[in-house]
Amino acid sequence: MECYNKAYGCQFTGSRVGVVKHFSSDCNYFKCEKCEWIGNSIQLELHVKECEGFFKKCINEDIGCDYKGPEEELDDHEEKCCLNPFSMILRNFTKEIDDLKNEILIKDQEIKEIREEQASKTDERKKKIKKLKEENDKQQDQINSLQIELDNIYEQQRMKKKEEEDFLLNRPLPKT
């Protein structure tokens, strides 16, 4: 027959009486039901007193009580816990703080959306300004071109007038 702790690694085999004797005193493969610890039965008794899996936390843990003890002592502790008188007040404050944190998150999101919207509008305005500047530059180029044409026309007229004046001044006078 095999040891009852074969599943945990024990290789012992023997008669029924031998297995019972081995199991109750010599087996080193007892597994804690709350964690991965494996050891003999005497060590298991000690382990259970220290194993985190057997300890329970106070209902006031969320507001600062760090009590952690055996389940059978928990009710007694919770009746006497020094944070009991403050638990309702602290939980209300905690709820209010959580609500305010949520409001802050919502406001932060709203601010982010507004900033993104403003950035988008700013980009649109910059594009419009750039387009208007390009149009203005184009119109200024046209004005400059027209001014050059006008200056050329003016110069041609001035030259023509000068030629006419020169012609009139240089032409022979009629004989009288």
Side-chain angles (χ1 to χ4, degrees):
M1 180 173 187
E2 296 174 332
C3 177
Y4 304 121
N5 286 331
K6 179 179 182 185
Y8 306 122
C10 185
Q11 302 292 318
F12 182 85
T13 58
S15 67
R16 185 179 305 264
V17 173
V19 168
V20 170
K21 182 179 180 235
H22 163 77
F23 182 79
S24 62
S25 62
D26 297 332
C27 185
N28 288 320
Y29 291 93
F30 283 89
K31 182 177 182 316
C32 175
E33 62 186 74
K34 301 286 185 177
C35 72
E36 298 298 314
W37 181 91
I38 294 177
N40 67 36
S41 61
I42 293 170
Q43 292 170 329
L44 180 62
E45 287 177 31
L46 295 172
H47 171 75
V48 166
K49 292 177 183 175
E50 299 172 356
C51 179
E52 295 284 321
F54 287 96
F55 287 80
K56 301 295 177 194
K57 295 179 180 181
C58 177
I59 58 169
N60 292 322
E61 175 192 22
D62 62 328
I63 58 172
C65 181
D66 57 0
Y67 173 83
K68 198 163 62 170
E71 191 170 356
E72 61 271 6
E73 296 174 14
L74 187 62
D75 288 341
D76 185 48
H77 165 78
E78 288 179 349
E79 282 181 28
K80 298 174 185 173
C81 181
C82 64
L83 292 178
N84 279 342
F86 308 106
S87 65
M88 187 61 84
I89 295 168
L90 290 172
R91 282 190 177 84
N92 284 340
F93 283 149
T94 301
K95 184 184 178 326
E96 286 182 39
I97 289 170
D98 288 344
D99 291 346
L100 289 171
K101 285 179 181 177
N102 287 334
E103 282 185 45
I104 289 170
L105 290 174
I106 290 168
K107 294 299 181 191
D108 283 346
Q109 183 61 34
E110 289 175 2
I111 289 169
K112 180 182 175 192
E113 290 171 4
I114 289 170
R115 283 185 176 152
E116 288 172 355
E117 182 181 338
Q118 291 302 318
S120 174
K121 286 181 180 178
T122 300
D123 287 345
E124 288 176 28
R125 288 181 184 126
K126 284 180 180 178
K127 287 176 186 176
K128 284 181 181 178
I129 289 170
K130 182 179 178 184
K131 185 176 179 182
L132 288 171
K133 187 179 180 314
E134 288 171 355
E135 288 176 12
N136 183 49
D137 289 347
K138 187 175 178 181
Q139 288 174 349
Q140 189 62 45
D141 288 345
Q142 289 174 341
I143 288 171
N144 290 341
S145 220
L146 289 172
Q147 184 65 45
I148 289 170
E149 273 185 58
L150 188 62
D151 288 348
N152 286 339
I153 291 172
Y154 174 75
E155 183 62 27
Q156 287 173 357
Q157 286 178 347
R158 192 184 65 72
M159 295 280 287
K160 188 174 183 183
K161 187 175 180 185
K162 179 156 175 46
E163 284 176 7
E164 288 175 358
E165 286 176 355
D166 285 346
F167 177 75
L168 289 174
L169 287 175
N170 292 329
R171 104 181 143 137
L173 290 173
K175 292 187 183 186
T176 41

